[in-house]
């Protein structure tokens, strides 16, 4: 089954009485956790106001090829139709009028919606809605055959009584059905329908209001892992220590400071997670007590007393039932041996080991990982963190599904 979670849906609305249902459709797509932007044709605005579509989609509606007010997202081309075409994961035109189908069949680009449909590499689908005579007309049927031949999906239409009083084919499918058909376009996401919790970044353990203990983690790897999981269709929660990075677009992000706060945030949200990936460089120790006021220098030497922080990763792996739990091991020496020891002692499903040092791991853009579990070792060669994160998510998805299959077949064979 496909999912719309995190998907960017461009909803085209053309002129037809069924346009009143487009508002409900936009709302349903958002309820399914899709991001929705709307393009309306001039004729559509005769049936439903752009203000209504703006309210239900949460964004200004795009109407014209050169529209400076609704310019969003800003991908940098300064051309709305190219920005929108690149932004979309899918384009759905609902309702699609007979006139629009004719324009689409010819590849016309004189308006914004037509231009976007031509310029996008994302899948395009239409939900025709028109009077049954117009639907049955050989010209309409020839246009449909042409657009189907170009790879455009055609959802419906349904049959029944029509606004004009006729009965027959030409009714736009109901919004719930359109949302379901649209989700099926994305049935291939490896983590579709799953919830993933990721920790990232360093933690900050306060000594006093001005000073603290932290480490060199930039958060880049954890953020890339969260992005890659979202790209694979998962609903992602990123729990991040202090970083200079912007929140990933497709993940919900909770910002925390210290290890205990991170621990509490994780346990508040872990119960419906299928996969937990601990990428954060959590401080193992914190000062016994953070001073309320800034410490003044006094003696030659100062001793800080530290206490252990909770091990977040081990505490998640110990849950009954535990999600599929993945740890990271940052090591300066004996990479595989030390990582394997952590895999066993923390009872993880998988550990991703990377070498850190002066010029490796932290803060840099390229990284290499060894993925270790009980089945063996897989090496992901040095590459950019985004590509590495995608490869890691692909590996995790494979192992997660394998483990689920084994568990299900054991349950099925239990006497
Ligand atoms: N981790 C955690 N909570 C902690 C410490 C570590 O969740 N209090 C997680 C990290 O997110 C990482 C993994 O444990 O996924 C390994 O962290 P690392 O610091 O490499 O290992 P430690 O267990 O702290 O062992 P050591 O510092 O002795 O190498």
């Amino acid at each position: 089954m496909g999912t719309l979670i995190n998907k960017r849906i461009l909803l085209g609305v053309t002129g037809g009485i069924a346009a009143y249902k487009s508002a409900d459709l936009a709302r349903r797509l958002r309820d399914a956790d899709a991001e929705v932007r709307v393009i309306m044709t001039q004729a559509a605005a005769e049936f439903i106001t752009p203000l209504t579509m703006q309210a239900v989609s949460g964004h200004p509606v795009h109407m014209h090829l050169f529209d400076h007010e609704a310019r969003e997202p800003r991908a940098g081309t300064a051309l709305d139709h190219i920005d929108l075409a690149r932004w979309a994961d899918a384009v759905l035109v609902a309702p699609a009028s007979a006139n629009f189908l004719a324009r689409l069949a010819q590849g016309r680009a004189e308006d914004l919606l037509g231009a976007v449909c031509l310029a996008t590499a994302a899948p395009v689908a239409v939900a025709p809605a028109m009077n049954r005579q117009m639907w049955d007309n050989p010209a309409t049927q020839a246009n449909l055959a042409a657009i189907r031949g170009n790879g455009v999906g055609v959802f419906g239409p349904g049959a029944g009584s029509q606004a004009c009083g006729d009965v027959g084919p030409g009714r736009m499918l109901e919004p719930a059905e359109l949302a379901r058909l649209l989700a099926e376009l994305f049935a291939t996401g490896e983590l579709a329908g799953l919830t993933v919790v990721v920790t990232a970044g360093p933690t900050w353990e306060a000594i006093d209001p001005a000073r603290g203990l932290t480490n060199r983690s930039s958060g880049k790897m954890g953020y890339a892992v969260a992005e890659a999981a979202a790209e694979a269709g998962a609903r992602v929660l990123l729990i991040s220590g202090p970083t200079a990075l912007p929140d990933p677009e497709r993940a919900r992000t909770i910002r925390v400071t210290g290890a205990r706060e991170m621990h509490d945030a994780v346990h508040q949200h872990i119960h419906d997670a299928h996969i937990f990936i601990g990428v954060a460089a959590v401080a193992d120790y914190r000062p016994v007590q953070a001073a309320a006021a800034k410490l003044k220098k006094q003696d030659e030497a100062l001793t800080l007393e530290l206490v252990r922080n909770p091990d977040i990763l081990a505490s998640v792996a110990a849950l009954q039932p535990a999600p599929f739990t993945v740890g990271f091991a940052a090591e300066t020496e004996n990479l595989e041996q030390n990582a394997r020891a952590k895999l066993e002692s923390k009872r993880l499903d998988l550990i991703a080991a990377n070498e850190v040092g002066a010029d490796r791991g932290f803060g840099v853009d390229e990284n290499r990982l060894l993925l270790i579990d009980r089945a063996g070792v897989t090496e992901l060669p040095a590459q950019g963190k985004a590509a590495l994160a995608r490869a890691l998510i692909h590996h995790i998805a494979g192992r997660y599904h394998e483990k689920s299959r084994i568990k299900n077949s054991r349950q099925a064979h239990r006497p």
Side-chain angles (χ1 to χ4, degrees):
M1 212 191 72
T3 173
L4 291 171
I5 295 171
N6 294 322
K7 294 295 184 258
R8 295 164 167 173
I9 306 301
L10 201 50
L11 177 60
V13 184
T14 71
I17 187 68
Y20 79 91
K21 291 186 186 171
S22 303
D24 187 22
L25 175 58
R27 191 187 53 80
R28 277 173 196 274
L29 298 178
R30 288 187 74 197
D31 284 350
D33 283 344
E35 260 192 80
V36 180
R37 300 283 197 278
V38 176
I39 299 180
M40 289 175 73
T41 61
Q42 209 69 54
E46 301 289 331
F47 293 91
I48 183 169
T49 70
L51 196 62
T52 302
M53 294 309 295
Q54 172 169 338
V56 290
S57 69
H59 294 278
V61 168
H62 302 261
M63 288 196 68
H64 308 289
L65 258 176
F66 305 101
D67 188 347
H68 301 294
E69 269 166 37
R71 177 160 293 289
E72 192 194 13
R74 292 168 206 275
T77 63
L79 291 170
D80 248 1
H81 64 291
I82 300 295
D83 289 351
L84 287 165
R86 285 184 183 157
W87 175 86
D89 289 327
V91 180
L92 171 62
V93 183
S97 64
N99 187 307
F100 178 75
L101 295 181
R103 300 204 310 270
L104 190 62
Q106 288 187 12
R108 299 187 72 93
E110 72 255 19
D111 69 351
L112 181 61
L113 186 56
V116 167
C117 289
L118 271 188
T120 191
V124 177
V126 293
M130 65 197 73
N131 162 273
R132 71 177 175 87
Q133 299 282 6
M134 294 171 86
W135 173 255
D136 285 336
N137 191 293
T140 302
Q141 291 302 316
N143 290 334
L144 270 165
I147 65 173
R148 276 203 177 99
N150 291 339
V152 172
V154 180
F155 297 168
S161 61
Q162 302 196 310
C164 50
D166 278 6
V167 177
R171 273 169 63 108
M172 187 170 91
L173 292 182
E174 289 307 311
E177 175 70 354
L178 289 176
R180 191 187 64 74
L181 290 170
L182 192 63
E184 277 182 10
L185 294 179
F186 300 106
T188 53
E190 287 182 298
L191 296 181
L194 301 181
T195 299
V196 176
V197 175
V198 180
T199 63
T203 59
W204 170 270
E205 311 297 332
I207 296 171
D208 67 20
R211 306 178 182 99
L213 299 175
T214 188
N215 59 63
R216 294 177 55 208
S217 167
S218 65
K220 282 183 188 167
M221 191 64 208
Y223 280 52
V225 167
E227 282 275 13
E231 208 175 270
R235 189 190 302 261
V236 180
L237 175 65
L238 172 65
I239 299 175
S240 172
T243 71
L245 303 172
D247 291 358
E249 273 186 30
R250 307 187 195 198
R252 187 179 150 218
T253 305
I254 297 178
R255 301 265 177 182
V256 297
T257 308
R260 281 184 301 175
E261 205 189 332
M262 185 176 274
H263 173 272
D264 293 351
V266 166
H267 281 278
Q268 220 173 33
H269 295 95
I270 199 66
H271 297 287
D272 56 358
H274 301 88
I275 299 174
F276 175 77
I277 311 175
V279 196
V282 184
D284 290 324
Y285 295 91
R286 67 174 183 279
V288 174
Q289 204 170 11
K294 194 174 164 224
L295 296 176
K296 291 289 175 197
K297 55 183 162 300
Q298 291 166 347
D299 302 331
E300 276 308 303
L302 172 70
T303 306
L304 271 181
E305 197 184 344
L306 305 178
V307 287
R308 276 289 283 272
N309 271 327
D311 189 316
I312 301 166
L313 185 62
S315 69
V316 169
L319 289 172
Q320 296 282 357
F324 188 90
T325 307
V326 182
F328 265 67
E331 307 290 343
T332 51
E333 53 194 3
N334 298 333
L335 186 61
E336 189 178 333
Q337 203 182 334
N338 286 339
R340 196 172 281 286
K342 278 176 197 170
L343 176 83
E344 296 302 337
S345 69
K346 301 194 190 193
R347 300 179 156 275
L348 309 178
D349 290 294
L350 180 76
I351 194 153
N354 69 319
E355 258 176 317
V356 291
D359 55 352
R360 282 196 220 120
F362 290 139
V364 298
D365 289 321
E366 284 226 337
N367 215 348
R368 180 182 88 106
L369 287 179
L370 282 190
L371 308 183
I372 303 166
D373 63 9
R374 282 161 202 93
V377 181
T378 305
E379 184 185 339
L380 302 181
Q383 53 197 306
K385 285 185 177 175
L388 196 64
R390 280 195 202 107
L392 172 66
I393 287 295
H394 176 65
H395 188 90
I396 290 174
R399 289 290 199 266
Y400 169 83
H401 290 300
E402 195 177 295
K403 189 177 173 186
S404 306
R405 264 195 302 278
I406 293 170
K407 204 164 98 190
N408 290 342
S409 79
R410 276 207 195 115
Q411 273 165 357
H413 290 104
R414 207 168 273 162

